[in-house]
Amino acid sequence: MTTITSPTLPAAKEEQLSPSVRERKKLLTVLGSGLSGTTIEFYDFFIYGTAAALVFPSLFFPNLSPLMALLVSFLTLSITFVSRPIGAIVFGHYGDKIGRKKSLVLSLMIMGISTFLIGLIPSYDTIGNAAPLILIFLRLCQGFAIGGEWGGATTLITEYAPRNRRGFFGTFVQLGNVLGLFIATAVFALVVMLPEEDLMSWGWRVPFLLSIALLFVGMFIRSRIEETPVFQQNQKQRQNAPKAAEQKYPILTVLKHHRKAVFLAMGMRMGEIVLGWLTVAFFMSYVTRELNFTRETALNGLLLASFVGIFTFPFFGWLSDKIGRRPVYLAGAAITLIFAFPLFWMIDSGSVKMFMFATTFCYSVGLGMMFSVQPAFFSELFDTSVRYTGVSLGFQLANIVGGLTPMIGTLLIAWSGGASWPISLFLACMALITILCVCVTRESYNDELNEVNS
Protein backbone atom coordinates (compact mmCIF):
# COMPACT_ATOMS: atom_id res chain seq x y z
CA MET A 1 0.00 0.00 0.00
CA THR A 2 2.76 2.40 0.91
CA THR A 3 4.62 1.94 -2.32
CA ILE A 4 1.48 2.55 -4.31
CA THR A 5 0.26 5.71 -2.59
CA SER A 6 3.51 7.48 -1.75
CA PRO A 7 4.20 8.75 -5.28
CA THR A 8 0.83 10.47 -5.32
CA LEU A 9 1.33 12.36 -2.06
CA PRO A 10 3.65 15.05 -3.41
CA ALA A 11 1.33 15.59 -6.37
CA ALA A 12 -1.65 15.86 -4.04
CA LYS A 13 0.22 18.28 -1.82
CA GLU A 14 1.22 20.34 -4.86
CA GLU A 15 -2.38 20.43 -6.01
CA GLN A 16 -3.35 21.95 -2.66
CA LEU A 17 -0.65 24.62 -2.87
CA SER A 18 -0.51 25.19 -6.61
CA PRO A 19 -3.35 27.62 -7.51
CA SER A 20 -1.67 30.79 -6.21
CA VAL A 21 1.76 29.55 -7.26
CA ARG A 22 0.50 28.74 -10.74
CA GLU A 23 -1.11 32.17 -11.06
CA ARG A 24 2.14 33.90 -10.07
CA LYS A 25 4.06 31.80 -12.56
CA LYS A 26 1.52 32.62 -15.26
CA LEU A 27 1.78 36.32 -14.50
CA LEU A 28 5.58 36.22 -14.59
CA THR A 29 5.48 34.33 -17.89
CA VAL A 30 3.05 36.86 -19.35
CA LEU A 31 5.19 39.77 -18.16
CA GLY A 32 8.26 38.13 -19.67
CA SER A 33 6.38 37.47 -22.89
CA GLY A 34 5.13 41.04 -23.19
CA LEU A 35 8.50 42.54 -22.30
CA SER A 36 10.56 40.29 -24.57
CA GLY A 37 8.14 40.51 -27.46
CA THR A 38 7.81 44.27 -27.50
CA THR A 39 11.57 44.65 -26.88
CA ILE A 40 12.23 42.63 -30.02
CA GLU A 41 9.55 44.43 -32.01
CA PHE A 42 10.79 47.89 -31.03
CA TYR A 43 14.43 46.89 -31.43
CA ASP A 44 13.59 45.93 -35.00
CA PHE A 45 11.66 49.15 -35.47
CA PHE A 46 14.30 51.46 -33.99
CA ILE A 47 17.26 50.03 -35.88
CA TYR A 48 15.29 50.79 -39.03
CA GLY A 49 14.65 54.36 -37.85
CA THR A 50 18.32 54.88 -37.05
CA ALA A 51 19.42 53.39 -40.37
CA ALA A 52 16.86 55.51 -42.22
CA ALA A 53 18.41 58.63 -40.72
CA LEU A 54 22.08 57.70 -41.02
CA VAL A 55 22.77 55.25 -43.87
CA PHE A 56 19.75 54.42 -46.04
CA PRO A 57 19.70 57.74 -47.98
CA SER A 58 23.03 57.00 -49.66
CA LEU A 59 22.59 53.21 -49.83
CA PHE A 60 19.16 52.99 -51.44
CA PHE A 61 18.59 56.46 -52.93
CA PRO A 62 22.01 57.61 -54.22
CA ASN A 63 20.55 59.07 -57.41
CA LEU A 64 18.67 61.75 -55.43
CA SER A 65 19.95 64.94 -53.85
CA PRO A 66 20.96 64.59 -50.15
CA LEU A 67 17.77 66.35 -49.00
CA MET A 68 15.47 64.33 -51.25
CA ALA A 69 17.25 61.10 -50.36
CA LEU A 70 16.69 61.83 -46.66
CA LEU A 71 13.03 62.69 -47.27
CA VAL A 72 12.42 59.50 -49.23
CA SER A 73 14.26 57.47 -46.60
CA PHE A 74 12.00 58.95 -43.92
CA LEU A 75 9.04 58.20 -46.18
CA THR A 76 9.92 54.50 -46.05
CA LEU A 77 10.02 54.91 -42.27
CA SER A 78 6.52 56.36 -42.21
CA ILE A 79 4.98 54.18 -44.90
CA THR A 80 3.87 51.75 -42.23
CA PHE A 81 0.88 54.00 -41.55
CA VAL A 82 -0.66 52.03 -44.44
CA SER A 83 0.00 48.57 -43.00
CA ARG A 84 -0.13 49.25 -39.25
CA PRO A 85 -3.91 49.84 -39.07
CA ILE A 86 -4.45 46.82 -41.32
CA GLY A 87 -2.34 44.72 -38.96
CA ALA A 88 -4.29 46.11 -36.01
CA ILE A 89 -7.59 45.04 -37.59
CA VAL A 90 -6.41 41.59 -38.73
CA PHE A 91 -4.52 40.60 -35.59
CA GLY A 92 -7.15 42.27 -33.43
CA HIS A 93 -9.91 40.24 -35.13
CA TYR A 94 -8.23 36.90 -34.51
CA GLY A 95 -6.94 37.98 -31.10
CA ASP A 96 -10.48 38.79 -29.97
CA LYS A 97 -12.01 35.70 -31.62
CA ILE A 98 -9.56 32.83 -31.09
CA GLY A 99 -7.17 34.17 -28.47
CA ARG A 100 -4.36 36.60 -27.75
CA LYS A 101 -1.54 34.03 -27.80
CA LYS A 102 -1.74 32.84 -31.42
CA SER A 103 -1.92 36.36 -32.79
CA LEU A 104 1.06 37.46 -30.71
CA VAL A 105 3.21 34.52 -31.83
CA LEU A 106 2.44 35.22 -35.50
CA SER A 107 3.05 38.98 -35.25
CA LEU A 108 6.43 38.40 -33.61
CA MET A 109 7.44 35.88 -36.27
CA ILE A 110 6.55 38.21 -39.16
CA MET A 111 8.36 41.14 -37.55
CA GLY A 112 11.54 39.17 -36.83
CA ILE A 113 11.80 37.56 -40.27
CA SER A 114 11.14 40.87 -42.07
CA THR A 115 13.86 42.61 -40.06
CA PHE A 116 16.38 39.83 -40.72
CA LEU A 117 15.68 39.99 -44.45
CA ILE A 118 16.27 43.77 -44.51
CA GLY A 119 19.82 43.03 -43.44
CA LEU A 120 20.24 40.88 -46.58
CA ILE A 121 18.99 43.39 -49.17
CA PRO A 122 21.63 44.29 -51.77
CA SER A 123 22.23 48.02 -52.18
CA TYR A 124 21.06 50.21 -55.07
CA ASP A 125 24.50 49.92 -56.68
CA THR A 126 24.03 46.16 -56.91
CA ILE A 127 20.42 45.63 -58.05
CA GLY A 128 19.20 49.12 -58.89
CA ASN A 129 15.58 50.10 -58.27
CA ALA A 130 14.75 46.63 -56.96
CA ALA A 131 16.63 47.47 -53.74
CA PRO A 132 14.33 50.26 -52.52
CA LEU A 133 11.25 48.30 -53.69
CA ILE A 134 12.26 45.29 -51.59
CA LEU A 135 13.01 47.62 -48.69
CA ILE A 136 9.53 49.17 -48.92
CA PHE A 137 7.86 45.74 -49.08
CA LEU A 138 9.67 44.46 -46.00
CA ARG A 139 8.93 47.73 -44.23
CA LEU A 140 5.22 47.22 -44.91
CA CYS A 141 5.52 43.71 -43.44
CA GLN A 142 7.13 45.20 -40.32
CA GLY A 143 4.29 47.67 -39.97
CA PHE A 144 1.66 44.95 -40.44
CA ALA A 145 3.26 42.88 -37.68
CA ILE A 146 3.74 45.68 -35.17
CA GLY A 147 0.13 46.72 -35.83
CA GLY A 148 -0.93 43.62 -33.92
CA GLU A 149 1.94 43.34 -31.45
CA TRP A 150 1.41 46.29 -29.13
CA GLY A 151 -2.34 45.84 -28.73
CA GLY A 152 -1.97 42.12 -28.10
CA ALA A 153 0.82 42.46 -25.54
CA THR A 154 -1.08 45.27 -23.83
CA THR A 155 -4.31 43.29 -23.70
CA LEU A 156 -2.59 40.17 -22.40
CA ILE A 157 -0.71 41.88 -19.57
CA THR A 158 -3.50 44.18 -18.38
CA GLU A 159 -6.02 41.31 -18.36
CA TYR A 160 -3.70 39.23 -16.20
CA ALA A 161 -2.70 42.06 -13.86
CA PRO A 162 -4.47 42.74 -10.53
CA ARG A 163 -6.76 45.77 -10.79
CA ASN A 164 -4.74 47.88 -8.35
CA ARG A 165 -1.46 47.17 -10.18
CA ARG A 166 -2.62 47.35 -13.79
CA GLY A 167 -0.78 50.60 -14.45
CA PHE A 168 2.53 49.27 -13.13
CA PHE A 169 2.33 45.91 -14.90
CA GLY A 170 1.24 47.65 -18.11
CA THR A 171 4.56 49.48 -18.18
CA PHE A 172 6.28 46.17 -18.94
CA VAL A 173 4.86 46.53 -22.45
CA GLN A 174 6.29 50.04 -22.70
CA LEU A 175 9.61 48.96 -21.22
CA GLY A 176 9.94 46.96 -24.43
CA ASN A 177 10.04 50.31 -26.22
CA VAL A 178 12.74 51.59 -23.87
CA LEU A 179 14.84 48.41 -23.91
CA GLY A 180 14.41 48.04 -27.66
CA LEU A 181 15.60 51.61 -28.13
CA PHE A 182 18.48 51.10 -25.71
CA ILE A 183 19.70 47.88 -27.35
CA ALA A 184 19.22 49.21 -30.89
CA THR A 185 21.06 52.43 -30.08
CA ALA A 186 23.88 50.58 -28.30
CA VAL A 187 24.35 48.22 -31.27
CA PHE A 188 24.36 51.09 -33.76
CA ALA A 189 26.71 53.11 -31.53
CA LEU A 190 29.21 50.27 -31.90
CA VAL A 191 28.57 49.83 -35.61
CA VAL A 192 29.11 53.50 -36.52
CA MET A 193 32.60 53.29 -35.01
CA LEU A 194 33.60 51.24 -38.05
CA PRO A 195 35.42 52.95 -40.92
CA GLU A 196 32.95 54.64 -43.28
CA GLU A 197 33.53 52.12 -46.06
CA ASP A 198 32.91 49.13 -43.77
CA LEU A 199 29.84 50.77 -42.24
CA MET A 200 28.23 51.39 -45.61
CA SER A 201 29.14 48.02 -47.10
CA TRP A 202 28.37 45.52 -44.34
CA GLY A 203 28.39 47.15 -40.90
CA TRP A 204 24.84 48.53 -41.08
CA ARG A 205 23.55 45.01 -41.73
CA VAL A 206 24.78 43.63 -38.39
CA PRO A 207 21.96 45.07 -36.20
CA PHE A 208 19.34 43.65 -38.58
CA LEU A 209 20.91 40.20 -38.78
CA LEU A 210 21.32 40.00 -34.99
CA SER A 211 17.55 40.27 -34.63
CA ILE A 212 17.14 36.59 -35.57
CA ALA A 213 18.71 35.55 -32.24
CA LEU A 214 16.31 37.79 -30.35
CA LEU A 215 13.44 36.31 -32.34
CA PHE A 216 14.19 32.76 -31.16
CA VAL A 217 14.28 33.92 -27.54
CA GLY A 218 10.97 35.76 -27.89
CA MET A 219 9.27 32.85 -29.63
CA PHE A 220 10.34 30.46 -26.88
CA ILE A 221 8.96 32.69 -24.11
CA ARG A 222 5.77 33.54 -25.99
CA SER A 223 4.98 29.88 -26.72
CA ARG A 224 4.66 29.27 -22.96
CA ILE A 225 1.88 31.76 -22.23
CA GLU A 226 -1.78 30.86 -21.66
CA GLU A 227 -4.97 32.74 -22.46
CA THR A 228 -6.13 35.18 -19.81
CA PRO A 229 -8.94 34.23 -17.39
CA VAL A 230 -10.75 37.43 -18.42
CA PHE A 231 -10.76 36.35 -22.08
CA GLN A 232 -11.86 32.81 -21.25
CA GLN A 233 -14.68 34.09 -19.07
CA ASN A 234 -15.78 36.51 -21.77
CA GLN A 235 -15.78 33.75 -24.38
CA LYS A 236 -18.24 31.76 -22.26
CA GLN A 237 -20.46 34.82 -21.81
CA ARG A 238 -20.43 35.63 -25.53
CA GLN A 239 -21.61 32.16 -26.50
CA ASN A 240 -25.07 33.10 -25.25
CA ALA A 241 -24.94 36.79 -26.25
CA PRO A 242 -27.95 38.04 -28.29
CA LYS A 243 -25.74 39.90 -30.78
CA ALA A 244 -23.71 36.88 -31.82
CA ALA A 245 -23.71 37.84 -35.51
CA GLU A 246 -22.20 41.24 -34.80
CA GLN A 247 -19.50 39.69 -32.63
CA LYS A 248 -18.20 37.72 -35.62
CA TYR A 249 -16.40 40.90 -36.63
CA PRO A 250 -14.94 42.79 -33.67
CA ILE A 251 -13.99 45.71 -35.92
CA LEU A 252 -17.70 46.31 -36.66
CA THR A 253 -18.47 46.34 -32.94
CA VAL A 254 -15.63 48.78 -32.32
CA LEU A 255 -16.75 51.12 -35.10
CA LYS A 256 -20.38 50.98 -33.99
CA HIS A 257 -20.07 51.17 -30.19
CA HIS A 258 -16.55 52.38 -29.47
CA ARG A 259 -15.80 55.06 -32.06
CA LYS A 260 -15.36 57.70 -29.38
CA ALA A 261 -12.87 55.55 -27.47
CA VAL A 262 -10.84 54.90 -30.64
CA PHE A 263 -10.62 58.60 -31.50
CA LEU A 264 -9.82 59.54 -27.91
CA ALA A 265 -6.98 56.99 -27.82
CA MET A 266 -5.73 58.33 -31.13
CA GLY A 267 -5.92 61.93 -29.93
CA MET A 268 -4.24 61.14 -26.63
CA ARG A 269 -1.26 59.82 -28.57
CA MET A 270 -0.67 62.95 -30.67
CA GLY A 271 1.69 64.77 -28.32
CA GLU A 272 3.44 61.59 -27.27
CA ILE A 273 4.00 60.11 -30.70
CA VAL A 274 5.24 63.33 -32.31
CA LEU A 275 7.67 63.88 -29.43
CA GLY A 276 8.71 60.23 -29.65
CA TRP A 277 9.47 60.25 -33.37
CA LEU A 278 11.30 63.55 -33.08
CA THR A 279 13.50 62.00 -30.40
CA VAL A 280 14.20 58.56 -31.85
CA ALA A 281 14.46 59.41 -35.56
CA PHE A 282 14.41 63.10 -36.53
CA PHE A 283 17.08 64.26 -34.07
CA MET A 284 19.51 61.74 -35.56
CA SER A 285 19.57 63.57 -38.88
CA TYR A 286 18.94 67.07 -37.47
CA VAL A 287 21.89 67.28 -35.10
CA THR A 288 24.30 65.62 -37.55
CA ARG A 289 23.23 67.65 -40.61
CA GLU A 290 22.33 71.03 -39.10
CA LEU A 291 24.55 71.17 -35.99
CA ASN A 292 27.48 69.03 -37.17
CA PHE A 293 27.28 66.66 -34.22
CA THR A 294 28.95 63.31 -34.73
CA ARG A 295 26.86 60.19 -35.16
CA GLU A 296 28.28 58.90 -31.90
CA THR A 297 27.08 61.99 -30.03
CA ALA A 298 23.57 61.69 -31.47
CA LEU A 299 23.37 58.01 -30.58
CA ASN A 300 24.76 58.59 -27.09
CA GLY A 301 21.93 61.06 -26.45
CA LEU A 302 19.40 58.37 -27.29
CA LEU A 303 21.31 55.84 -25.24
CA LEU A 304 21.15 58.04 -22.15
CA ALA A 305 17.47 58.87 -22.68
CA SER A 306 16.47 55.21 -22.99
CA PHE A 307 18.58 54.21 -19.99
CA VAL A 308 16.85 56.75 -17.73
CA GLY A 309 13.49 55.64 -19.14
CA ILE A 310 14.09 52.13 -17.78
CA PHE A 311 13.53 53.62 -14.31
CA THR A 312 11.02 56.41 -14.97
CA PHE A 313 8.50 54.41 -17.01
CA PRO A 314 7.67 51.86 -14.26
CA PHE A 315 7.50 54.67 -11.71
CA PHE A 316 4.88 56.57 -13.72
CA GLY A 317 2.87 53.37 -14.22
CA TRP A 318 2.97 52.75 -10.46
CA LEU A 319 1.96 56.38 -9.82
CA SER A 320 -1.07 56.01 -12.10
CA ASP A 321 -2.28 53.14 -9.88
CA LYS A 322 -2.14 55.47 -6.89
CA ILE A 323 -3.56 58.78 -8.19
CA GLY A 324 -5.21 57.80 -11.48
CA ARG A 325 -4.35 57.69 -15.17
CA ARG A 326 -5.53 61.18 -16.08
CA PRO A 327 -3.31 63.25 -13.72
CA VAL A 328 -0.14 61.44 -14.83
CA TYR A 329 -1.05 61.61 -18.50
CA LEU A 330 -2.02 65.29 -18.30
CA ALA A 331 1.27 66.14 -16.58
CA GLY A 332 3.21 64.52 -19.42
CA ALA A 333 1.20 66.36 -22.06
CA ALA A 334 1.64 69.67 -20.19
CA ILE A 335 5.41 69.15 -19.99
CA THR A 336 5.47 68.44 -23.73
CA LEU A 337 3.57 71.67 -24.41
CA ILE A 338 5.74 73.77 -22.09
CA PHE A 339 9.00 72.38 -23.47
CA ALA A 340 8.02 72.43 -27.15
CA PHE A 341 10.09 75.56 -27.79
CA PRO A 342 12.76 75.26 -25.06
CA LEU A 343 13.51 71.75 -26.36
CA PHE A 344 14.87 73.11 -29.63
CA TRP A 345 16.42 76.19 -27.99
CA MET A 346 18.56 73.86 -25.89
CA ILE A 347 19.46 71.63 -28.83
CA ASP A 348 20.16 74.57 -31.17
CA SER A 349 22.59 75.98 -28.61
CA GLY A 350 25.09 73.50 -29.98
CA SER A 351 25.98 72.29 -26.49
CA VAL A 352 26.31 68.52 -26.26
CA LYS A 353 25.31 68.63 -22.59
CA MET A 354 22.16 70.60 -23.37
CA PHE A 355 21.32 68.14 -26.16
CA MET A 356 21.76 65.24 -23.76
CA PHE A 357 19.60 66.87 -21.10
CA ALA A 358 16.84 67.95 -23.50
CA THR A 359 16.60 64.55 -25.16
CA THR A 360 16.71 62.62 -21.89
CA PHE A 361 14.19 64.80 -20.04
CA CYS A 362 11.66 64.96 -22.86
CA TYR A 363 11.84 61.21 -23.57
CA SER A 364 12.08 59.75 -20.07
CA VAL A 365 9.77 62.26 -18.33
CA GLY A 366 7.52 64.14 -20.78
CA LEU A 367 6.94 61.22 -23.14
CA GLY A 368 7.32 58.69 -20.32
CA MET A 369 4.39 60.05 -18.30
CA MET A 370 2.09 59.55 -21.28
CA PHE A 371 3.55 56.43 -22.86
CA SER A 372 3.87 54.40 -19.66
CA VAL A 373 0.18 54.88 -18.79
CA GLN A 374 -1.22 53.94 -22.20
CA PRO A 375 -1.48 50.13 -21.80
CA ALA A 376 -3.73 50.37 -18.75
CA PHE A 377 -5.55 53.56 -19.79
CA PHE A 378 -6.39 52.36 -23.31
CA SER A 379 -7.34 48.84 -22.17
CA GLU A 380 -9.85 50.33 -19.75
CA LEU A 381 -11.63 52.10 -22.62
CA PHE A 382 -12.83 48.89 -24.33
CA ASP A 383 -14.89 45.78 -23.55
CA THR A 384 -13.08 42.46 -23.30
CA SER A 385 -14.72 41.13 -26.47
CA VAL A 386 -13.18 43.87 -28.63
CA ARG A 387 -10.26 45.04 -26.48
CA TYR A 388 -7.49 43.69 -28.71
CA THR A 389 -9.05 45.30 -31.79
CA GLY A 390 -9.98 48.59 -30.12
CA VAL A 391 -6.66 49.13 -28.36
CA SER A 392 -4.66 48.21 -31.48
CA LEU A 393 -6.72 50.41 -33.79
CA GLY A 394 -6.63 53.50 -31.57
CA PHE A 395 -2.91 53.11 -30.96
CA GLN A 396 -1.95 52.49 -34.58
CA LEU A 397 -4.14 55.12 -36.25
CA ALA A 398 -2.08 57.75 -34.43
CA ASN A 399 0.91 56.59 -36.43
CA ILE A 400 -0.56 58.23 -39.51
CA VAL A 401 0.70 61.46 -37.95
CA GLY A 402 3.55 60.00 -35.91
CA GLY A 403 5.15 58.08 -38.75
CA LEU A 404 5.23 61.21 -40.88
CA THR A 405 6.88 63.31 -38.15
CA PRO A 406 10.52 62.88 -39.27
CA MET A 407 9.58 63.79 -42.84
CA ILE A 408 7.41 66.72 -41.66
CA GLY A 409 10.28 67.96 -39.50
CA THR A 410 12.73 67.75 -42.42
CA LEU A 411 10.33 69.65 -44.70
CA LEU A 412 9.72 72.34 -42.06
CA ILE A 413 13.46 72.85 -41.59
CA ALA A 414 13.92 73.21 -45.33
CA TRP A 415 10.93 75.59 -45.59
CA SER A 416 12.11 77.81 -42.74
CA GLY A 417 15.69 78.00 -43.95
CA GLY A 418 17.04 76.01 -41.01
CA ALA A 419 14.91 77.58 -38.24
CA SER A 420 13.41 75.10 -35.78
CA TRP A 421 10.41 77.12 -34.52
CA PRO A 422 7.92 75.54 -36.99
CA ILE A 423 8.69 72.10 -35.54
CA SER A 424 8.21 73.43 -32.01
CA LEU A 425 4.86 74.90 -33.06
CA PHE A 426 3.85 71.57 -34.61
CA LEU A 427 4.77 69.74 -31.39
CA ALA A 428 2.89 72.28 -29.24
CA CYS A 429 -0.29 71.87 -31.33
CA MET A 430 -0.13 68.07 -31.00
CA ALA A 431 0.34 68.40 -27.22
CA LEU A 432 -2.76 70.61 -27.03
CA ILE A 433 -4.79 67.94 -28.85
CA THR A 434 -3.59 65.38 -26.31
CA ILE A 435 -4.54 67.60 -23.37
CA LEU A 436 -8.02 68.14 -24.80
CA CYS A 437 -8.61 64.40 -25.36
CA VAL A 438 -7.42 63.45 -21.87
CA CYS A 439 -9.69 66.10 -20.34
CA VAL A 440 -12.79 64.57 -21.96
CA THR A 441 -11.80 60.97 -21.10
CA ARG A 442 -13.16 59.60 -17.83
CA GLU A 443 -10.91 58.27 -15.10
CA SER A 444 -10.83 54.47 -15.20
CA TYR A 445 -8.14 53.15 -12.89
CA ASN A 446 -10.74 51.63 -10.53
CA ASP A 447 -12.63 49.81 -13.31
CA GLU A 448 -12.77 46.03 -13.56
CA LEU A 449 -11.69 44.72 -16.98
CA ASN A 450 -14.09 41.78 -16.92
CA GLU A 451 -17.10 44.09 -16.95
CA VAL A 452 -18.91 43.90 -20.30
CA ASN A 453 -20.32 47.27 -21.30
CA SER A 454 -23.22 47.39 -23.68
Side-chain angles (χ1 to χ4, degrees):
M1 293 292 291
T2 303
T3 56
I4 297 175
T5 58
S6 58
T8 66
L9 289 177
K13 184 176 180 181
E14 185 178 343
E15 282 297 318
Q16 295 174 358
L17 301 175
S18 60
S20 61
V21 174
R22 282 202 304 265
E23 288 305 312
R24 284 198 295 270
K25 287 183 177 179
K26 285 181 183 179
L27 180 57
L28 289 174
T29 302
V30 168
L31 291 177
S33 167
L35 180 60
S36 62
T38 53
T39 297
I40 294 165
E41 298 266 8
F42 282 111
Y43 167 83
D44 294 350
F45 215 70
F46 287 138
I47 57 173
Y48 189 97
T50 304
L54 299 180
V55 299
F56 282 176
S58 56
L59 281 174
F60 292 101
F61 312 102
N63 55 333
L64 301 176
S65 68
L67 176 61
M68 285 303 300
L70 181 62
L71 285 172
V72 175
S73 182
F74 278 149
L75 182 61
T76 68
L77 180 68
S78 61
I79 201 170
T80 57
F81 74 79
V82 175
S83 55
R84 273 187 172 214
I86 296 173
I89 293 172
V90 173
F91 285 109
H93 173 85
Y94 289 105
D96 283 327
K97 296 298 294 182
I98 65 175
R100 313 337 189 174
K101 175 180 175 177
K102 293 179 181 178
S103 291
L104 283 169
V105 169
L106 183 59
S107 70
L108 184 62
M109 184 183 302
I110 294 174
M111 186 71 177
I113 293 174
S114 299
T115 303
F116 179 78
L117 291 178
I118 288 175
L120 299 177
I121 301 175
S123 67
Y124 181 91
D125 292 338
T126 304
I127 59 174
N129 289 327
L133 290 177
I134 296 172
L135 180 68
I136 291 171
F137 171 75
L138 292 176
R139 182 63 180 158
L140 289 171
C141 292
Q142 279 190 320
F144 178 76
I146 206 170
E149 167 62 28
W150 188 88
T154 290
T155 301
L156 195 74
I157 287 181
T158 54
E159 286 184 349
Y160 257 111
R163 182 195 57 75
N164 62 342
R165 304 192 71 188
R166 211 154 48 216
F168 172 72
F169 284 132
T171 60
F172 279 79
V173 180
Q174 308 304 60
L175 274 178
N177 179 290
V178 181
L179 292 174
L181 177 60
F182 182 82
I183 298 170
T185 305
V187 172
F188 251 104
L190 294 174
V191 168
V192 298
M193 295 172 66
L194 293 168
E196 185 74 12
E197 184 178 351
D198 291 339
L199 171 65
M200 303 305 288
S201 62
W202 60 268
W204 69 270
R205 301 179 185 276
V206 173
F208 291 91
L209 298 178
L210 286 176
S211 66
I212 199 69
L214 297 176
L215 174 62
F216 285 129
V217 174
M219 291 293 291
F220 173 76
I221 296 175
R222 190 151 283 184
S223 65
R224 298 168 63 88
I225 61 176
E226 299 179 20
E227 290 298 344
T228 68
V230 172
F231 176 78
Q232 294 173 349
Q233 176 186 350
N234 183 263
Q235 286 291 90
K236 294 177 181 178
Q237 293 176 353
R238 291 296 176 182
Q239 289 177 356
N240 300 320
K243 296 182 180 179
E246 186 179 353
Q247 292 300 326
K248 289 181 179 179
Y249 302 100
I251 183 61
L252 297 181
T253 306
V254 169
L255 294 177
K256 184 174 181 180
H257 298 293
H258 300 277
R259 286 193 304 271
K260 180 180 178 182
V262 169
F263 285 115
L264 284 176
M266 181 180 174
M268 283 192 284
R269 289 209 67 204
M270 288 296 101
E272 167 264 312
I273 196 170
V274 169
L275 179 59
W277 277 112
L278 286 175
T279 304
V280 304
F282 176 75
F283 286 167
M284 291 295 97
S285 65
Y286 179 73
V287 299
T288 53
R289 285 168 55 91
E290 303 293 332
L291 304 178
N292 295 318
F293 284 16
T294 64
R295 290 169 176 165
E296 290 84 353
T297 299
L299 288 167
N300 285 339
L302 265 186
L303 204 61
L304 179 60
S306 56
F307 177 75
V308 176
I310 293 173
F311 304 97
T312 59
F313 279 37
F315 170 75
F316 293 134
W318 170 85
L319 187 62
S320 76
D321 285 328
K322 302 300 180 182
I323 66 174
R325 318 294 184 216
R326 294 174 77 241
V328 178
Y329 211 110
L330 279 172
I335 289 173
T336 302
L337 175 62
I338 293 169
F339 274 84
F341 285 89
L343 169 63
F344 276 91
W345 295 341
M346 288 185 282
I347 293 174
D348 289 341
S349 70
S351 166
V352 173
K353 291 182 179 179
M354 293 299 286
F355 166 69
M356 295 285 187
F357 170 78
T359 304
T360 300
F361 179 78
C362 286
Y363 177 82
S364 62
V365 178
L367 178 143
M369 296 184 86
M370 296 180 282
F371 197 63
S372 61
V373 178
Q374 286 173 5
F377 206 179
F378 290 4
S379 294
E380 291 158 359
L381 294 175
F382 297 95
D383 295 345
T384 301
S385 60
V386 295
R387 183 168 294 122
Y388 196 144
T389 301
V391 166
S392 298
L393 192 61
F395 187 86
Q396 300 302 341
L397 282 176
N399 284 290
I400 295 175
V401 175
L404 293 172
T405 295
M407 189 173 70
I408 292 172
T410 303
L411 286 171
L412 289 174
I413 288 291
W415 171 79
S416 66
S420 59
W421 67 263
I423 308 177
S424 295
L425 182 61
F426 174 54
L427 176 59
C429 291
M430 296 300 104
L432 281 172
I433 292 174
T434 294
I435 290 172
L436 177 63
C437 289
V438 176
C439 286
V440 299
T441 303
R442 67 182 181 84
E443 183 57 76
S444 57
Y445 77 113
N446 282 321
D447 290 357
E448 292 288 348
L449 286 185
N450 57 359
E451 292 174 354
V452 180
N453 303 317
S454 56

